[in-house]
Every structure is written in C-alpha cells, then in structure tokens.
Amino acid sequence: MKKAFIFYTVLLLTGNIYAQIKFTSVEDAVNFGISNSDSLNELKLFALTNMKMAKLSFESFLPQFETSWNEYDNIQKYSADTRTKQISFSVEQKLFDNGKSRLKYTNDKYNALISYYEMLDKFNEFRLNVLEKYYSYILQCRLIELKKALLENTEKELAVIEYKYNEGLELKSSYLEYILSCKELQKDLDDSIHEKNIILSDLKSLLNISLDAELIIEDKNENINFIQKPYAEKTEDFIALILKNNIELKKQFSSIEYISKQTKILNQFYLPSVSLKAGVSFSGIAYPLTQPDYSVNLIFSFSDIPFLPSFFSNGYRISQKKLSGLQNSTSTALNMQPGYFTSRKLSKISLAQAKTSCNEAIRNLKQSVKNLIDKHDSSLKYIQLIKEAIEIREEKILISEYQVNAGLMRTSDYLKEKLELSKSRQNLVKEEISILLLQKKLEFLTEAK
C-alpha cells in the first residue's frame, strides 16, 4: 500500500501537477525521500556494481593465453628464395608470487566493501537529516499549539482586566502589562509559525518535493516515543558496537593490514615469482602446417631484489615426439635506486603513523560516545524534573487563581506564573524531541553494516 502511495505521488510530482502528500510517521517520510532521491539510488547502484566488479577482478589468478602468426620470405640473390610460415599458441600460468595477487584481490574487495559501507553512511546521514527536519516541524507545531492556547487564554483574561480597569477595580499598570504580554505572545507565535514554514520548505527540498505541492504531516502522540531508561549501564556495549561498525575505523584497519602485508612481502624480496609457460607451434613452407613443435618453460623472476633484479628460465623443446632441445637462460639488470633505504624507512614511519592515528580515532570515538550517553541520561533526568515542576506550577496556578479572585494577589503576578508554566511545557516538548533524536542517532551508530 505504501509503495503504491509513493508511486502515484512521484507520478504526480513528475507530471508537474500540484499534489497533496501526507505523512503519518517519520518512517513514511524517510522511505519516500529515499525512493524519490536520484542521487541516493545512483550511489547505491554504483556501490553494488563496484562490489560485483571487485569480486570478478581475479584475472591475475587466471592463465594468460597468447597466439601469434609469422611469415618470413628470405630473398637471396644467387640462390632460391626460402619461405617460412609459423603459427604458435602458448599459455602461461602463475604458480607462486609470494601472495601479491591474493593481497591485491583481497584489498580490492575490501575497498569495494568500504565504498558500500560509505554508501550506507550516506543513507543514514540522509535519514538523520529527515528525522531532524521532521521532528523540528513537529516541535514547532506543538509549540504553536501551546502558544495559541496561552495567547487565547491571556486575551480572554485581558478582556476581564479591561472591564475591571474601566470599573476602577484594577490598576492601570496591571492592565498595561497584560496588553504588552499579549503583544509579546502574538509576536512569539508569529515567529514560531514563520519558523515552521521555513522547516517545511527545507523538508520539501530534502525530500525532492515541489514547493508548490501540499505536504501534510500528522502530529500523533506515538511519534514522540522514546526509551525512558538511562544508558549509563550499557556504555561499554554501545562503545563496542560503535567501534565495530564505524566506517572510518574499518578503513583505517584495512589500510594498516594492507601496509603490514605489503611490508612483509617487501621483506621477503628473496622469494621469486614462479610461472609455467607451455606452447605449441606449427611451421612449414606451405599451408597446412604439419610440423608441431612443443615447448615447456619454468620461469623464475626475482624482480623484488633491490639493485639487481634477476630472471631465470629453464625450458624444454619437444619435436616429433622427441626431446629436441634444452634452454637455460638468466639475466640480471643493474637498477639504480638511490632512495631505496629511505623509502623503506618512510614505509615504516607511515605504518607507525597509521597505527597512532587509528588509536587516536578510537579514543576520540569512545569519548564522543560517552558524551552522548551522558547527555542522554542528563536529558532524562531533566525531563523528569520539568514534569515535576509542571505539576507543582499547575497546582500553584489553581491557588493563585483563587487568590486573584479574592483580591489577595496581583493579576500581573498571576500572569507571570502562567507564562512560567507555559515555558516549562515548551521546554518539556523540546527535551522530548531532543532525546528522541539522540536515541535515533545512537541507534544508527550501533547499527550493524
């Protein structure tokens, strides 16, 4: 049902028709925004395709095939011309390379997985932005309700104060103070309405909704449903989950692992890369060529040896089902590397820096999690204090109303108490929205990826 709603809504929007969109929960808004975001969907498609590409990038493990065709015409002045034709096929399979190919393949797959995690982070960032805008809108709506009720009640009492003032039963200062309070409350209400409209426009822009479309958000009590338990006892559990799922830490761990394995391979420079090459060739002076010639070569490459990279090859040639030749070859080059030892030192320093940076990131992340949990538990206590204060102020208001009617209390003092009660109720709504967003943020941070 929701999918159909989203489909028809998007259809209306893309058709430039003024549509009406209605959200009954924040989940509806998030799902709509994700399905209606071209950039997020393209990012997801790219990440999934990149992962598939990384899994298929095992070409370094596969044999390499080669074919060639040659034709020679040897023209001689005082003898008959000779012609030689040759077609050859060969296959080369790498047998050992000290783990270089496996390291590259594993690292490519891990990098693709990290890109996928980063895509999920973009989605979570988008969800958090929608959550903040959505609940900011709900907050303004609830504040507007409280401010409207306060203004209406104050205006009614102003009419009573005005009557008493005209009858000489009320001081002019109290009457003027009520008038000023009404104007201030009206200004405060107008500001909240203006803020609500700005947030609504921002939410439309975030969800890729036309500004001309009508967006309706139902404010239900179940929207403000937060866990009313402190998190202090679960601090270590939160830290463990967040450290496990943090994308930046995963990237740093991957980098350290890759550099460590790469350093290990460089230290084992004396180990060769070994490959086996087999081929068959057909030669003759005319087609079809009927003289097969088989060859097998075992190749050792010591390309990682500093300054003197070397190559060795041992080959066998078989012709007409008989061993017709042996071939042993070696080559060594003098490779000038004046910065070799410095580069090795830099590699060690880079590895040490990566580990230090990772440890600092872990410490900072732990501290930020503790701060979030402290803020969460403090907000819970503050909410309880506000609720208790509201109950006390409501009881005091009833007593003050009796005192005002009995002439035992100034109306201006009674008005101040009502304003303080309204302020406490507004603070309660703000704290409830704030703690809900905080819990959502912790939920996203601990979410398994």
Side-chain angles (χ1 to χ4, degrees):
M1 185 68 183
K2 288 184 178 179
K3 291 183 177 179
F5 164 74
I6 292 173
F7 172 79
Y8 287 116
T9 304
V10 174
L11 182 64
L12 288 172
L13 290 175
T14 54
N16 293 323
I17 300 174
Y18 293 168
Q20 183 186 84
I21 304 171
K22 184 177 181 180
F23 296 140
T24 58
S25 69
V26 68
E27 286 76 16
D28 286 346
V30 170
N31 293 334
F32 179 91
I34 291 175
S35 65
N36 200 33
S37 173
D38 292 336
S39 60
L40 288 179
N41 288 307
E42 289 169 359
L43 185 64
K44 182 178 181 180
L45 180 62
F46 177 82
L48 293 175
T49 306
N50 192 32
M51 287 186 66
K52 184 177 181 181
M53 183 66 186
K55 290 179 181 179
L56 296 175
S57 62
F58 49 81
E59 62 273 2
S60 58
F61 298 103
L62 299 176
Q64 304 297 312
F65 296 92
E66 184 179 350
T67 181
S68 64
W69 172 81
N70 296 290
E71 188 172 291
Y72 303 97
D73 289 330
N74 190 11
I75 303 173
Q76 301 184 21
K77 188 174 183 180
Y78 299 107
S79 59
D81 296 343
T82 60
R83 292 184 176 180
T84 303
K85 305 177 187 298
Q86 186 182 56
I87 297 176
S88 61
F89 304 92
S90 66
V91 58
E92 183 175 352
Q93 177 62 55
K94 188 177 293 183
L95 303 179
F96 176 76
D97 66 352
N98 196 19
K100 295 177 186 176
S101 297
R102 181 173 294 278
L103 176 61
K104 182 180 181 303
Y105 178 65
T106 303
N107 192 64
D108 288 345
K109 284 203 307 181
Y110 203 86
N111 286 336
L113 185 61
I114 291 297
S115 297
Y116 178 76
Y117 289 151
E118 289 176 344
M119 178 272 296
L120 294 181
D121 260 7
K122 291 290 185 183
F123 273 70
N124 284 340
E125 182 182 347
F126 177 80
R127 291 189 184 100
L128 284 173
N129 288 336
V130 174
L131 280 169
E132 289 180 0
K133 293 297 180 183
Y134 186 93
Y135 284 119
S136 293
Y137 179 82
I138 295 294
L139 172 60
Q140 290 303 322
C141 289
R142 295 196 174 191
L143 291 178
I144 288 171
E145 289 178 3
L146 292 172
K147 291 174 181 181
K148 276 185 177 179
L150 178 62
L151 178 60
E152 290 174 359
N153 186 265
T154 305
E155 287 177 340
K156 289 179 181 179
E157 291 182 352
L158 176 61
V160 175
I161 296 296
E162 183 178 11
Y163 173 78
K164 289 183 177 180
Y165 170 69
N166 292 331
E167 295 295 322
L169 302 175
E170 189 66 63
L171 296 174
K172 186 176 182 180
S173 59
S174 297
Y175 172 59
L176 294 177
E177 191 168 351
Y178 255 77
I179 293 177
L180 290 174
S181 296
C182 286
K183 292 184 179 298
E184 290 174 357
L185 292 175
Q186 183 64 58
K187 175 63 168 58
D188 192 24
L189 176 61
D190 292 341
D191 290 342
S192 293
I193 293 173
H194 178 67
E195 181 67 21
K196 183 192 76 169
N197 292 334
I198 292 176
I199 294 172
L200 188 63
S201 297
D202 291 342
L203 185 59
K204 285 182 179 180
S205 178
L206 184 61
L207 299 178
N208 196 22
I209 297 175
S210 171
L211 295 178
D212 297 321
E214 183 182 3
L215 178 59
I216 300 175
I217 297 177
E218 286 193 354
D219 180 11
K220 295 183 177 180
N221 291 331
E222 55 263 30
N223 286 334
I224 312 301
N225 185 21
F226 58 89
I227 301 172
Q228 300 185 20
K229 293 182 179 179
Y231 285 165
E233 296 180 357
K234 297 182 178 180
T235 300
E236 295 302 323
D237 295 334
F238 275 111
I239 290 176
L241 284 171
I242 291 174
L243 291 178
K244 179 182 177 182
N245 298 316
N246 185 265
I247 300 300
E248 190 59 35
L249 283 182
K250 287 184 176 183
K251 289 169 65 177
Q252 293 192 30
F253 289 148
S254 174
S255 177
I256 291 172
E257 183 179 6
Y258 179 76
I259 295 174
S260 299
K261 289 183 177 180
Q262 193 177 44
T263 302
K264 181 180 178 181
I265 290 174
L266 289 176
N267 290 334
Q268 295 175 338
F269 60 85
Y270 49 85
L271 294 177
S273 294
V274 183
S275 59
L276 180 67
K277 185 175 183 179
V280 58
S281 63
F282 301 89
S283 60
I285 59 174
Y287 296 106
L289 306 178
T290 57
Q291 300 178 21
D293 194 359
Y294 302 95
S295 64
V296 179
N297 289 274
L298 192 61
I299 304 169
F300 297 83
S301 173
F302 292 86
S303 58
D304 292 334
I305 295 179
F307 307 110
L308 294 171
S310 304
F311 301 89
F312 299 93
S313 175
N314 176 251
Y316 299 86
R317 181 180 175 187
I318 300 173
S319 180
Q320 296 181 357
K321 299 182 180 180
K322 295 180 181 179
L323 181 65
S324 61
L326 296 173
Q327 179 184 4
N328 294 304
S329 64
T330 180
S331 65
T332 302
L334 179 60
N335 188 4
M336 305 301 292
Q337 296 177 290
Y340 173 76
F341 294 105
T342 303
S343 65
R344 293 291 298 273
K345 185 177 181 180
L346 284 175
S347 297
K348 292 181 180 179
I349 295 173
S350 297
L351 181 59
Q353 285 180 326
K355 291 180 178 179
T356 301
S357 177
C358 186
N359 291 331
E360 289 179 354
I362 291 174
R363 287 197 300 269
N364 293 335
L365 192 58
K366 285 182 178 180
Q367 188 60 47
S368 64
V369 174
K370 289 180 180 178
N371 292 340
L372 285 175
I373 292 175
D374 289 342
K375 183 179 179 182
H376 173 271
D377 292 356
S378 296
S379 294
L380 277 180
K381 293 178 182 178
Y382 186 45
I383 285 174
Q384 186 59 37
L385 291 175
I386 293 176
K387 288 181 177 179
E388 293 173 359
I390 288 175
E391 291 179 0
I392 294 173
R393 290 185 186 281
E394 287 175 343
E395 185 176 354
K396 190 177 179 183
I397 284 289
L398 295 176
I399 298 173
S400 298
E401 185 177 1
Y402 170 79
Q403 291 177 334
V404 168
N405 293 332
L408 302 175
M409 184 178 185
R410 296 173 55 194
T411 53
S412 57
D413 294 333
Y414 174 62
L415 175 61
K416 290 178 182 178
E417 289 186 4
K418 292 186 64 176
L419 294 177
E420 289 297 324
L421 174 61
S422 178
K423 184 178 179 181
S424 296
R425 288 171 175 168
Q426 292 175 35
N427 288 337
L428 177 62
V429 173
K430 291 177 182 177
E431 284 299 317
E432 287 177 342
I433 297 292
S434 175
I435 201 169
L436 179 62
L437 285 173
L438 187 59
Q439 289 180 356
K440 290 290 184 182
K441 187 173 183 180
L442 285 169
E443 179 183 333
F444 284 138
L445 289 174
T446 56
E447 189 178 59
K449 300 176 177 66

